[in-house]
Amino acid sequence: FANLLAAEDYATAHASYVSNSYGGSEFSGENTYDTPFNKPGVGITVSSGDSRYGGEYPAASPYVTAVGGTSLTHGSTAWTETTWSGSGSGCSAVEAKPAWQTDTGCGRRTVADVSAVADPNTGVAVYDSYGSSSGANWFVYGGTSVAAPLVAGVWALTGSLATTTVAAAVPYSHRSAWKDVTSGSNTICCSAGNLCQAGVGYDGPAGLGTPIS
């Protein structure tokens, strides 16, 4: 973990947007490790995890944009997007709630902030020239480790942030840039309300929603 944080320091010193596709269970004192993520002017995305409802770190850090996952399918006339059943979400056991989060389901930091396609069954196409199988080189990959770099890439296309901007707050002040995901759940028996069940407005599994292109 110390090596990952050192890498974060290096990356945020050399890039305007940084994507992270790792995480682990929350732990006491995790907030003392938040410094490498507290970088005004740098947009930092972190995958929310693929283990459904329950908190992960560093997605729980209030200084990052935690990215949940959706399932994206195309019908006869239009695309349909729902919360992916594996999308990580939760109410942090450690981290304080940032000022820009106003949901009432959790008194501390809520995960996720936004989302993108992550369902491995409806994920992204990847061409693998090395690991071909039976002559096939195209594969479909998913997980919130796909969603986090997708959001970072879309975000980067908007240009650099001001050096004093708290990047984690930006999606909340530009809600019209996100498509609300209103259906789906990441638990079989959802008893945590909007922390595990998608609905109109903010919810844990999909956050504010997915980028509007």
Side-chain angles (χ1 to χ4, degrees):
F1 196 63
N3 290 339
L4 288 168
L5 294 180
E8 196 74 28
D9 274 329
Y10 183 88
T12 53
H14 292 81
S16 298
Y17 298 92
V18 177
S19 175
N20 299 267
S21 290
Y22 66 91
S25 299
E26 286 199 276
F27 54 93
S28 177
E30 68 185 40
N31 50 343
T32 63
Y33 292 90
D34 281 339
T35 300
F37 304 108
N38 185 9
K39 301 294 175 63
V42 180
I44 303 174
T45 63
V46 176
S47 54
S48 70
D50 305 339
S51 300
R52 303 185 176 187
Y53 179 68
E56 281 197 5
Y57 187 83
S61 171
Y63 301 109
V64 308
T65 297
V67 184
T70 64
S71 297
L72 185 63
T73 56
H74 194 273
S76 58
T77 59
W79 289 93
T80 299
E81 196 162 24
T82 62
T83 289
W84 175 43
S85 61
S87 179
S89 69
C91 178
S92 176
V94 179
E95 302 280 359
K97 198 170 198 69
W100 48 88
Q101 278 198 325
T102 58
D103 62 289
T104 58
C106 170
R108 294 180 295 277
R109 161 76 161 131
T110 311
V111 173
D113 296 302
V114 297
S115 55
V117 62
D119 185 343
N121 296 308
T122 69
V124 297
V126 175
Y127 184 83
D128 186 348
S129 62
Y130 176 77
S132 61
S133 175
S134 302
N137 295 99
W138 283 99
F139 301 90
V140 178
Y141 290 96
T144 55
S145 288
V146 164
L150 281 176
V151 169
V154 171
W155 203 353
L157 290 173
T158 66
S160 299
L161 297 167
T163 56
T164 57
T165 298
V166 180
V170 171
Y172 290 87
S173 60
H174 294 80
R175 292 187 177 228
S176 62
W178 303 92
K179 174 182 175 290
D180 194 10
V181 178
T182 59
S183 63
S185 174
N186 63 358
T187 61
I188 296 174
C189 298
C190 178
S191 60
N194 73 331
L195 294 179
C196 59
Q197 175 70 51
V200 176
Y202 175 87
D203 54 74
L208 299 172
T210 55
I212 295 176
S213 59

